[in-house]
Amino acid sequence: MTAFSLEPAQLAWCAELRTLAAERLRPLAEKGEPGHVNRALVAELGRLGLLERLFTSGALDLCLMRESLAHGCTEAETALALQGLGAHPVHAHGTESQRARWLPRVADGTAVAAFALSEPGAGSDAAALALRAERDGPARWRLTGEKCWISNAPEADFYTVFARTVPDAGARGVTAFLVPADRPGLTGTGLDMLSPHPIGALDFDAVPVTAEDVLGEVDRGFRVAMGTLNLFRPSVGAFAVGMARAALDATLAHTAGRDAFGGKLRDLQAVSHQVAEMALRTEAARLMVYAAATAYDEDAPDVPQRAAMAKLLATETAQYVVDTAVQLHGARALQRGHLLEHLYREVRAPRVYEGASEVQRGIIAKELYAHQEAR
């Protein structure tokens, strides 16, 4: 089904990416160790030129990449996305020196990036972060505190870290720092999570940073964080759409070939109507994701609302579609190694990270009321 206003070249590129994901990236992903950075996979993404496109593509192209890769290899999609999430603040707000040092290595897959925002007491409420950046001279700070649930930690080569430079100032008084992993006082541990990609905690024990490590402006780092999330939230939705489409395709094949009750599963109205609902919701989510990405590329004023809507609808839809696919497949889908068993573990986390579904509803409502009051 041709959706939205994609050009033939875009559709062909998506098909090429799905093939690459299945044939070249999936074998590398299968050799990786769950919970650890798969550097061979990251390097292959670099060789294919996909990581470099993170810095030259708009939001719609980012969504097309993530959706297409997710269809054939969720690990490759996540590896690409995490490189973008961790490095985008450097690309958008970094100094010439920061960009020259790190972006070429991110693009060729030899440096692993991470986005360090969440903390034990500041997950969904990102403005409540407590990691302290205490002055240690005119242009120097010491970072003290914790970060938690950080993708690619503790194995990343550098972290985009958000720390409080003004106490008790909420979203104000936050500064973004580029912190190489070898800074003294920075340690981390891996966390055993449901998702197979690496997630860890970081401990900052008076980690030294200077003005040369600042991304953007001092005390205005929250803008860096929110700008990054506004770009990546629609593409989280694209990741979800890719998983939903993979689950739908598997279900179509299964129900068309499975003998049951004297016919095929698809002949049962209870089954065919569920498959139709899966397709309906997946296509609606896809269209909203593309619309949000296009709004970002056109610098539309309602990007925060559209990004939140896209992430919310797509991630909730993918959860429904994968769960329904498991139900229609039966016990075989719960067997370790089955595509749907894999997707069932992968699909849950996107409803939480980069702003939980409840946070997205709050953003949507806030934007709606702000627009109503401005009339």
Side-chain angles (χ1 to χ4, degrees):
M1 183 183 297
T2 301
F4 203 62
S5 57
L6 297 184
E7 300 293 335
Q10 291 173 307
L11 294 170
W13 183 51
C14 290
E16 179 184 352
L17 287 177
R18 288 193 294 271
T19 300
L20 285 173
E23 297 181 359
R24 290 185 59 173
L25 299 174
R26 165 56 48 195
L28 289 172
E30 290 175 347
K31 294 178 182 178
E33 184 178 355
H36 293 276
V37 173
N38 187 334
R39 289 187 178 264
L41 180 61
V42 175
E44 184 65 14
L45 288 168
R47 280 190 289 271
L48 292 172
L50 297 179
L51 297 179
E52 185 174 7
R53 291 192 70 141
L54 290 169
F55 309 120
T56 59
S57 298
L60 180 57
D61 277 356
L62 176 60
C63 287
L64 297 181
M65 279 197 290
R66 294 190 68 175
E67 177 188 340
S68 301
L69 291 177
H71 186 274
C73 182
T74 60
E75 294 93 339
E77 183 284 332
T78 301
L80 175 130
L82 295 180
Q83 288 289 84
L85 188 64
H88 176 75
V90 183
H91 169 67
H93 302 279
T95 64
E96 183 176 341
S97 175
Q98 291 168 334
R99 290 162 59 90
R101 178 182 178 186
W102 291 108
L103 294 186
R105 294 183 59 199
V106 171
D108 66 17
T110 58
V112 172
F115 185 83
L117 178 62
S118 295
E119 298 179 3
S124 295
D125 185 7
L129 63 85
L131 178 74
R132 303 189 308 279
E134 299 169 321
R135 285 284 184 180
D136 189 33
R140 302 179 65 86
W141 296 262
R142 295 276 181 172
L143 304 181
T144 301
E146 300 175 78
K147 292 291 182 181
C148 198
W149 307 297
I150 306 304
S151 295
N152 280 346
E155 299 178 16
D157 297 301
F158 72 92
Y159 300 90
T160 295
V161 177
F162 298 89
R164 182 157 301 289
T165 40
V166 179
D168 304 319
R172 299 184 181 88
V174 172
T175 301
F177 295 94
L178 193 164
V179 183
D182 59 1
R183 284 288 166 86
L186 176 57
T187 57
T189 55
L191 300 173
D192 189 9
M193 306 289 286
L194 180 67
S195 296
H197 74 269
I199 302 176
L202 299 171
D203 184 72
F204 295 79
D205 183 10
V207 175
V209 291
T210 72
E212 295 181 355
D213 300 312
V214 173
L215 293 169
E217 300 178 59
V218 174
D219 299 338
R220 296 190 177 183
F222 203 69
R223 296 181 182 180
V224 176
M226 292 303 104
T228 302
L229 293 176
N230 280 339
L231 169 61
F232 276 85
R233 275 175 177 154
S235 71
V236 174
F239 173 36
V241 168
M243 288 190 286
R245 185 67 225 190
L248 174 60
D249 288 347
T251 303
L252 286 169
H254 174 70
T255 55
R258 173 72 167 173
D259 292 319
F261 304 105
K264 301 298 182 182
L265 271 181
R266 70 179 182 187
D267 298 328
L268 301 174
Q269 187 179 76
V271 170
S272 64
H273 282 193
Q274 286 188 78
V275 172
E277 185 70 17
M278 293 163 68
L280 172 67
R281 296 195 193 189
T282 299
E283 188 65 12
R286 186 202 308 272
L287 292 173
M288 182 161 280
V289 166
Y290 291 178
T294 301
Y296 184 96
D297 287 339
E298 294 177 351
D299 198 24
D302 59 348
V303 166
Q305 177 181 318
R306 286 185 175 274
M309 285 182 167
K311 180 184 185 293
L312 174 63
L313 179 65
T315 56
E316 296 285 340
T317 292
Q319 181 80 58
Y320 165 81
V321 171
V322 171
D323 185 72
T324 304
V326 169
Q327 194 70 19
L328 292 178
H329 276 73
R332 73 190 66 230
L334 301 177
Q335 187 172 355
R336 185 72 68 178
H338 193 282
L339 170 65
L340 289 173
E341 179 269 337
H342 172 76
L343 291 177
Y344 200 76
R345 287 184 288 113
E346 283 274 35
V347 79
R348 189 60 183 86
R351 292 173 59 206
V352 175
Y353 64 60
E354 294 186 40
S357 293
E358 292 75 14
V359 171
Q360 305 311 317
R361 290 186 174 92
I363 292 171
I364 294 164
K366 179 181 177 182
E367 293 293 321
L368 288 171
Y369 284 116
H371 178 71
Q372 189 270 339
E373 291 170 1
R375 289 178 179 175

